[in-house]
Amino acid sequence: MQPPRTPCRRGPRALAAAAAIAAALAIAACDRGLEAEPPLTGIAGTVTFLGEWTEEIGEVAVAVYRDLPEEPADLFGLSGTDQGVPLGSRSYDYFVPIQREGTYRWIIVAWRRPEAFWDFTSLLGCYHVEGDSLPGVVEVSPGRVATGIDMTIDLAVIADPPELGSTPCTAVLPESLIEAAQAGQE
């Protein structure tokens, strides 16, 4: 016959030790617990390039603006960019991360010459719905990526740029900005 089992008794020391271990594990978990990546917020699509790439092109980027520029300094007020467009590509799937949700009114593709800086003449095209005379507006929700914001860019505009203010990308810009850009081209 076996002796009767007695229930396990935990003394104050055992309980204090168990509490200390639990507290240490909890503190360690708080310091290095599961680190979730914040959800992506941004704008994505495909840029399709028509025409020939020339040696004049040093870099191509997709840029996003919350509002249309009102004056030349506003061109530096980017909400985000994707500068990873490979030169010579026929199409590029871009992603522009955005810090805040909201309405974005000017999504453009721009270029610059090697060793040159971006300027108003860098504009290749913008997001707009075919047949529309204005740039397309894109709504970005918190933690979401607005997809399908596709653009077709004809590289011939580098050799034969359209008159400023005559395209859907520039027709909505204030006359003072167009005049300042034209003065800068002279």
Side-chain angles (χ1 to χ4, degrees):
M1 193 165 174
Q2 293 184 356
R5 291 184 142 195
T6 56
C8 179
R9 296 183 195 244
R10 295 192 175 142
R13 285 187 189 174
L15 288 175
I21 291 171
L25 290 173
I27 290 170
C30 288
D31 187 39
R32 293 185 194 90
L34 295 176
E35 293 181 20
E37 290 290 322
L40 291 176
T41 301
I43 297 174
T46 301
V47 179
T48 303
F49 295 98
L50 307 175
E52 298 301 317
W53 289 82
T54 68
E55 291 181 12
E56 282 185 88
I57 303 171
E59 185 177 12
V60 173
V62 179
V64 173
Y65 292 84
R66 183 174 286 278
D67 294 307
L68 294 165
E70 294 289 325
E71 55 187 56
D74 293 344
L75 294 173
F76 298 106
L78 295 165
S79 294
T81 64
D82 181 339
Q83 292 179 274
V85 179
L87 300 181
S89 61
R90 286 288 136 218
S91 69
Y92 175 68
D93 294 328
Y94 73 90
F95 171 70
V96 177
I98 301 295
Q99 295 298 316
R100 299 183 323 202
E101 74 278 356
T103 302
Y104 292 86
R105 291 180 171 78
W106 212 41
I107 295 91
I108 66 167
V109 177
W111 74 288
R112 67 172 184 82
R113 290 178 171 78
E115 310 301 322
F117 193 70
W118 307 94
D119 63 20
F120 198 85
T121 63
S122 298
L123 186 64
L124 286 173
C126 68
Y127 172 68
H128 67 282
V129 178
E130 193 63 39
D132 282 0
S133 60
L134 303 174
V137 173
V138 177
E139 288 290 330
V140 179
S141 300
R144 305 290 297 237
V145 176
T147 60
I149 311 305
D150 302 334
M151 295 174 271
T152 300
I153 302 299
D154 188 349
L155 295 170
V157 302
I158 293 173
D160 187 21
E163 184 177 322
L164 289 173
S166 67
T167 70
C169 304
T170 59
V172 293
L173 300 177
E175 189 64 34
S176 61
L177 182 60
I178 292 173
E179 288 170 2
Q182 289 170 332
Q185 291 178 339
E186 296 172 354

